[in-house]
Amino acid sequence: MKTLQQMGAAPASSLVNQTGVKALVHGGPGSGKTPIIRTAPRPITLACEPGLLTLRDWDGIVVEGKTVEQVNDFFDWLEGSAEVKNFDTVCVDSVSEMAEVYLRKEMAGTSKAGNKVNGMAAYGEMAKNTMRNLFFLNGMKEKHVYLIAKQLLSPEDEGTKKRPYFPGKQLNTEVPHLFDLIMELGTHNIPGHGAYHCFRTRDSFSSLARDRSGKLDEYEQADLAHVFNKCMS
């Protein structure tokens, strides 16, 4: 039988410090999700979205992820390159579009018999590939992760609720359970302060959010270094 030391047992606080903060952020068009990358500690960005105009005057390192090959190359690099040590934060803009990249490739394929790929099978393969990447990011050691998601208005019993968007049903159910920190970026009316562009970190009837660190206020300034440091404190 192995001892605790042989099994790698350690205080929870030290394991958290080794892991970093993994944040999934959703927001509507124009809410500033992409420019926030500038506030992350030493970021490397996989850009799956077609435009990076809001980063035109920034010299941070960006890798294009417009095709399945480009996305897979990026994750191979994350897993095996010594260059990864030069970065503290891995950003994906956006994970919604990354899933769409996989889906378009699957839908364009054909079976061995030359028939069009079954839609259900294509969505299943897309979900498998996307979740593989997200599990990898969530388990990265000594790295923060900033994942941008498009926003979905989901019908709820109380009305509609804003939440991260992914194509199909599987990812919309599974992805939110994966991450300890889910935030909505937008302009929020804060009692006593008025309208303020910031992260919302707590769940509400109108928006999905979560802070399992317990360190964040309901509204936090739109600065990733600030949020990461607060979660790790």
Side-chain angles (χ1 to χ4, degrees):
M1 180 182 295
K2 292 182 179 180
T3 66
L4 287 175
Q5 183 178 8
Q6 290 171 330
M7 291 189 293
S13 57
S14 68
L15 294 178
V16 171
N17 290 334
Q18 292 175 19
T19 301
V21 179
K22 310 299 194 280
L24 175 65
V25 174
H26 62 100
S31 58
K33 300 183 296 296
T34 298
I36 292 297
I37 292 172
R38 301 167 182 254
T39 70
R42 297 203 305 167
I44 176 76
T45 302
L46 176 66
C48 301
E49 294 287 343
L52 287 172
L53 188 61
T54 54
L55 296 177
R56 63 190 179 278
D57 58 347
W58 181 60
D59 60 359
I61 305 301
V62 175
V63 177
E64 283 197 319
K66 309 293 178 56
T67 68
V68 167
E69 291 73 22
Q70 289 174 331
V71 172
N72 290 344
D73 284 347
F74 179 75
F75 280 90
D76 288 343
W77 175 84
L78 281 179
E79 187 171 7
S81 175
E83 293 176 310
V84 176
K85 69 178 183 300
N86 298 319
F87 304 95
D88 295 326
T89 309
V90 179
C91 307
V92 180
D93 184 13
S94 66
V95 289
S96 309
E97 185 62 25
M98 182 179 73
E100 295 280 7
V101 168
Y102 281 118
L103 181 60
R104 286 192 291 270
K105 177 70 176 291
E106 292 300 324
M107 294 296 286
T110 57
S111 68
K112 292 181 180 179
N115 299 319
K116 187 176 180 180
V117 170
N118 176 273
M120 185 176 296
Y123 273 90
E125 193 66 19
M126 174 274 296
K128 181 183 74 174
N129 291 326
T130 301
M131 288 300 294
R132 179 193 65 223
N133 292 347
L134 295 183
F135 275 120
F136 176 80
L137 290 171
N138 201 40
M140 288 191 78
K141 300 293 186 182
E142 300 178 348
K143 299 293 179 202
H144 300 303
V145 170
Y146 172 54
L147 303 177
I148 295 173
K150 299 175 184 178
Q151 195 171 70
L152 169 70
L153 290 177
S154 175
E156 306 282 341
D157 292 338
E158 301 83 5
T160 58
K161 187 165 186 170
K162 293 176 284 187
R163 58 176 63 244
Y165 161 77
F166 295 91
K169 296 180 180 180
Q170 182 178 344
L171 294 178
N172 286 293
T173 300
E174 294 182 0
V175 174
H177 295 289
L178 189 59
F179 297 97
D180 290 335
L181 187 59
I182 301 175
M183 302 186 292
E184 184 203 0
L185 180 63
T187 300
H188 302 281
N189 289 312
I190 303 176
H193 296 276
Y196 189 56
H197 183 250
C198 59
F199 292 122
R200 183 183 185 120
T201 70
R202 295 180 190 168
D203 201 52
S204 69
F205 288 118
S206 63
S207 181
L208 176 66
R210 176 190 303 129
D211 167 32
R212 287 180 178 154
S213 77
K215 298 291 186 69
L216 301 178
D217 294 328
E218 182 174 4
Y219 299 100
E220 288 287 352
Q221 65 188 75
D223 184 304
L224 291 172
H226 165 79
V227 169
F228 294 162
N229 288 336
K230 199 167 181 179
C231 286
M232 299 285 285
S233 63

